[in-house]
Amino acid sequence: MRGFILILPFLLVSKLFATQTVVHSQSPIGNIRTTYAEIDRLNNAAYNVYLNSPDSARKLAENALLLSQKYGYTIGKGRSFYNIGLVYWSQSYYTISLFYLNSAITNLPANKSLYLSDAYNALGRTYADLGNYSQALINLDKSLGYAGNDIGRLAEVFSEKSYVYCALKNYHKAIADAEYALTLNKRINETGNIAVLYARLGGIYKSMKDYRNALYHDDIAFKMSMQTVNKRLRAKTLIEYAAINDEVGKYDNAISYAKKGISLADSIGLIDAQAEGYKLIANSFEKKNDLKQALGYQKVYAQIRDSVTKSSKLKTIQLIQNYHTLNAKLNDIKLMEITDAENKAKIKAQTKLILILSISLVILISVLFITWYLYKQKKMLSQKLENQHKALLEQKQVIEVQTSNLQSVNGLKDKLLAVIGHDLRTPVANMSNIIEMFNDGYLTANEVTDLMHEIGPIIKGAELTLSNLTEWAGSHIKGKTVNSTNVDIFLLGVEMEQTFVHHLQQKGIGFINGAFAGQSVQADENHIKVVLRNLVSNAIKFTDSNGSVTLATKVDYNSLIVSVSDTGKGMNRDEIEKLFSINTHFSHSGTSGESGTGIGLLLCKELVELNGGKLLVTSTVGKGSCFYFSLPLVGAYA
């Protein structure tokens, strides 16, 4: 009998391990490979159409990005960011393009050298289009290093280098690199790139005023653009024809070519080419002394330029909205992955716990049986008493912990009720009195409107107070967690300006977003939003009319210093020392009577410290205050 009891635990353990082996053998490896292939197909399709159908290419790449995030396909994620960056580059949104191309480099594995070569090459071209030629050459050299012996990549790097050297007026080097790239592309019969290189050589010779060679190369590029169906290249070449004819005095030809280029550029949304075309037409008519026509086309050029500015602003807003939408989807997928991982970990832990408990139970039964067999009732009774004593001690400890938690939560509740009763009663009472007086006929609609404008800042402050109280209480009750992602402070500044636009306009305060666009930090985005919302709200609160509030960033080694400064009334040393203490914190009324609890800065301090920073302040009475903190830069910027 005793032998059977000793063998029983080993039989149970073997059974449980066999069950786990069966479960693990059912991993859907085949489905993941199929999904990876679909992601690669979407990225390949996006790359093939981004020049002619940029919007379609962006949608394909975004779908690939979402799938890559969901299934943890790192290469697919990096290629998706790369394709989105190419789309925005093709539409001349270079700053947005830089953000996505840097994200591609961050996500692409170090062993995928050819993909990294493509990304650095596109990054170099984008910096060149922005006029930052030194940075362009740095990235192109990195691309050259990753290209290795791949002829296609080498050709693309030298092609882009010729573009940069032409811009730097180093024409000899520009021609040499372009011709070398042309030779490499001919070796692999890369027709599309060959056409672009002929156009580039035409542009270089035009810059050198060698119009004969310029036209020769542009003619080849134009013919090949028809063969490769590259409308962008064709439109650019027509505008180039117009520019050459204008410079050699053939104004009618220049006008004709410019009109054709404008028409084609308009069909694909190439606005900068349209503007250049109208400018050339106006210039040609002016040289022909047809001032009436010149003035007319000059007006059209000015209208397009203004339209480009307005459209760019609207498009920038749309791009930011698209970014937030895509980022929200990625965050949702990441949250699902975290939840799934947590569930798997729980199942694994529960399985182990069941195994341990089962073994422990069997061993305990065996021990109890042997104990009963050897020591009879006396030993068994002693064991029971000892187990009961342990259980009572554990129960006592649990009750003590629960009592301490209840006291802490009750104290927090009392503090919140006191703040709500003191600081939120006044705006609610004011609103109630206004409504009663309006219903009783003591106030007219215009008077109610005026009163609403006056108490608007107070209501806004009460709303922020309630939000801070909720956030602060939640962090103390639920526990403090940080979900770090790549956060662009410039984009959060745009969101802050939109959030407080009414308050800024009401007080006549200017908002300056001086944060560097595209420079990401590693932090919890929701935490940083709460911090910026409180700091900007406080800055507006204590700033008089015609003042200003400035959001700025500064790189300090591997960190980014984020600051919110104002031109308000400032604080003395004693007030600054009381700001961040839970026992001594205080709050003044704002310049328009706005109230507060002081709890917002305490919340900001906690959230900044959770993200690895420290909230500091400098202030001068009568000149304003500056709150600043540091956050770690993402690897690509550090």
Side-chain angles (χ1 to χ4, degrees):
M1 181 67 179
R2 282 182 293 173
F4 173 75
I5 293 174
L6 293 173
I7 295 172
L8 183 60
F10 298 101
L11 294 176
L12 184 58
V13 170
S14 301
K15 179 64 176 176
L16 289 171
F17 274 118
T19 303
Q20 285 187 317
T21 304
V22 172
V23 171
H24 287 300
S25 67
Q26 296 174 353
S27 177
I29 297 174
N31 292 336
I32 292 177
R33 289 176 178 172
T34 302
T35 303
Y36 284 2
E38 175 62 13
I39 294 170
D40 290 338
R41 186 192 68 79
L42 289 171
N43 274 319
N44 291 336
Y47 179 82
N48 289 332
V49 301
Y50 81 91
L51 284 175
N52 295 319
S53 301
D55 290 335
S56 298
R58 179 174 58 81
K59 291 179 181 177
L60 289 169
E62 286 180 353
N63 289 335
L65 178 60
L66 294 174
L67 285 173
S68 299
Q69 177 72 12
K70 181 176 180 180
Y71 291 95
Y73 188 25
T74 307
I75 299 174
K77 191 174 179 181
R79 290 189 66 199
S80 301
F81 278 124
Y82 168 73
N83 284 327
I84 296 173
L86 290 181
V87 170
Y88 287 125
W89 169 81
S90 71
Q91 295 177 320
S92 301
Y93 297 108
Y94 301 125
T95 303
I96 304 295
S97 176
L98 284 178
F99 169 78
Y100 282 103
L101 291 174
N102 277 305
S103 298
I105 290 171
T106 303
N107 285 277
L108 284 171
N111 61 344
K112 296 298 179 182
S113 57
L114 296 182
Y115 287 142
L116 285 167
S117 176
D118 291 339
Y120 277 114
N121 188 61
L123 200 60
R125 173 57 188 264
T126 306
Y127 274 118
D129 288 330
L130 287 169
N132 190 342
Y133 301 117
S134 60
Q135 194 65 37
L137 288 173
I138 289 172
N139 283 281
L140 289 174
D141 285 337
K142 290 181 180 179
S143 176
L144 195 62
Y146 280 110
N149 296 322
D150 187 274
I151 296 176
R153 265 75 175 193
L154 291 172
E156 290 181 5
V157 174
F158 281 103
S159 174
E160 300 304 339
K161 278 196 166 188
S162 71
Y163 172 74
V164 175
Y165 285 125
C166 180
L168 294 172
K169 297 184 179 180
N170 187 348
Y171 301 123
H172 176 75
K173 183 65 174 172
I175 291 174
D177 284 352
E179 288 182 343
Y180 182 59
L182 186 61
T183 301
L184 292 174
N185 276 311
K186 286 181 178 179
R187 192 182 301 172
I188 59 176
N189 197 28
E190 189 62 49
T191 309
N193 290 338
I194 292 172
V196 172
L197 281 165
Y198 274 114
R200 181 151 301 154
L201 284 166
I204 297 170
Y205 282 115
K206 172 182 168 293
S207 299
M208 297 171 63
K209 299 191 182 300
D210 185 351
Y211 301 123
R212 181 171 173 273
N213 271 323
L215 287 172
Y216 168 77
H217 289 90
D218 282 339
D219 286 341
I220 298 175
F222 184 81
K223 291 177 182 177
M224 294 190 71
S225 72
M226 301 287 288
Q227 298 172 6
T228 58
V229 197
N230 190 338
K231 294 181 180 179
R232 176 187 171 91
L233 175 61
R234 202 183 318 157
K236 290 278 190 179
T237 305
L238 288 169
I239 298 299
E240 191 80 352
Y241 279 148
I244 293 173
N245 278 278
D246 178 76
E247 290 185 16
V248 300
K250 296 181 180 180
Y251 305 124
D252 290 333
N253 288 344
I255 292 168
S256 176
Y257 280 121
K259 288 181 177 179
K260 293 177 182 178
I262 290 169
S263 176
L264 184 56
D266 180 60
S267 70
I268 59 174
L270 194 60
I271 300 177
D272 56 346
Q274 295 179 56
E276 182 66 21
Y278 281 113
K279 184 178 179 181
L280 284 169
I281 293 175
N283 189 54
S284 294
F285 274 119
E286 183 179 354
K287 290 178 180 178
K288 289 179 64 177
N289 292 321
D290 189 345
L291 299 181
K292 182 178 179 180
Q293 291 275 28
L295 182 60
Y297 279 100
Q298 185 65 33
K299 288 181 179 179
V300 175
Y301 167 70
Q303 289 173 354
I304 287 183
R305 187 177 57 192
D306 293 339
S307 173
V308 168
T309 301
K310 294 177 182 178
S311 175
S312 179
K313 291 179 180 178
L314 293 174
K315 186 66 176 179
T316 300
I317 294 173
Q318 182 62 44
L319 291 176
I320 293 171
Q321 291 173 345
N322 289 342
Y323 164 77
H324 282 296
T325 300
L326 180 59
N327 194 51
K329 292 179 180 178
L330 290 174
N331 286 337
D332 289 341
I333 292 174
K334 189 172 183 179
L335 182 61
M336 290 172 62
E337 290 175 350
I338 293 172
T339 303
D340 184 61
E342 289 175 348
N343 290 336
K344 289 180 179 178
K346 288 178 181 178
I347 293 172
K348 187 175 181 180
Q350 289 171 354
T351 303
K352 289 182 178 179
L353 181 60
I354 292 172
L355 179 61
I356 293 171
L357 290 175
S358 300
I359 295 173
S360 300
L361 180 61
V362 173
I363 293 174
L364 180 59
I365 294 172
S366 301
V367 170
L368 289 173
F369 178 81
I370 295 172
T371 302
W372 175 83
Y373 183 80
L374 296 175
Y375 298 100
K376 307 294 184 179
Q377 296 294 329
K378 181 180 178 180
K379 189 65 179 179
M380 185 172 63
L381 179 60
S382 176
Q383 185 69 32
K384 286 184 178 180
L385 290 174
E386 184 180 353
N387 290 339
Q388 289 176 356
H389 180 66
K390 289 181 180 179
L392 287 173
L393 288 176
E394 291 175 354
Q395 188 174 8
K396 181 182 176 182
Q397 291 176 353
V398 170
I399 291 173
E400 289 175 351
V401 171
Q402 290 176 343
T403 302
S404 176
N405 291 337
L406 286 173
Q407 290 174 348
S408 176
V409 172
N410 191 54
L412 178 60
K413 178 205 69 176
D414 292 340
K415 184 179 293 184
L416 292 178
L417 289 175
V419 172
I420 292 171
H422 181 271
D423 294 288
L424 300 183
R425 185 187 299 117
T426 300
V428 173
N430 287 340
M431 288 292 294
S432 178
N433 289 337
I434 291 172
I435 293 171
E436 288 180 3
M437 293 178 70
F438 177 73
N439 290 335
D440 293 340
Y442 292 110
L443 294 175
T444 65
N446 291 333
E447 289 173 334
V448 171
T449 301
D450 294 337
L451 287 173
M452 287 299 181
H453 285 299
E454 292 179 5
I455 70 170
I458 300 175
I459 297 298
K460 191 71 176 179
E463 181 185 357
L464 184 58
T465 296
L466 186 58
S467 175
N468 286 337
L469 288 171
T470 304
E471 185 75 25
W472 190 61
S475 69
H476 281 73
I477 294 172
K478 298 177 182 177
K480 302 171 183 178
T481 59
V482 177
N483 296 319
S484 295
T485 58
N486 293 354
V487 180
D488 191 326
I489 300 299
F490 173 78
L491 297 179
L492 293 188
V494 174
E495 184 176 334
M496 291 303 109
E497 185 175 7
Q498 293 174 347
T499 300
F500 293 100
V501 63
H502 177 71
H503 203 174
L504 290 166
Q505 292 174 352
Q506 189 176 29
K507 296 188 71 171
I509 296 173
F511 182 84
I512 302 170
N513 188 353
F516 187 79
Q519 202 165 48
S520 297
V521 295
Q522 192 73 20
D524 189 307
E525 184 173 0
N526 289 329
H527 288 179
I528 304 308
K529 283 184 180 180
V530 172
V531 173
L532 291 181
R533 186 164 64 242
N534 277 279
L535 294 182
V536 173
S537 175
N538 283 347
I540 296 171
K541 173 181 174 182
F542 296 111
T543 301
D544 292 314
S545 298
N546 299 321
S548 64
V549 175
T550 302
L551 171 65
T553 58
K554 182 178 70 174
V555 176
D556 183 18
Y557 294 99
N558 292 330
S559 299
L560 187 70
I561 307 299
V562 182
S563 64
V564 177
S565 56
D566 60 66
T567 58
K569 55 187 181 183
M571 296 175 286
N572 58 38
R573 184 182 297 275
D574 291 338
E575 291 174 330
I576 292 175
E577 290 177 353
K578 296 178 181 179
L579 278 179
F580 302 114
S581 172
I582 193 168
N583 297 318
T584 62
H585 77 277
F586 66 96
S587 178
H588 288 310
S589 296
T591 57
S592 295
E594 303 98 326
S595 64
T597 64
I599 207 77
L601 284 178
L602 294 179
L603 177 60
C604 290
K605 177 177 180 294
E606 289 186 8
L607 294 181
V608 168
E609 290 175 354
L610 274 177
N611 285 272
K614 186 176 181 181
L615 183 61
L616 301 171
V617 59
T618 59
S619 184
T620 303
V621 176
K623 293 185 179 180
S625 304
C626 177
F627 288 83
Y628 59 96
F629 56 92
S630 66
L631 293 171
L633 281 165
V634 174
Y637 301 100

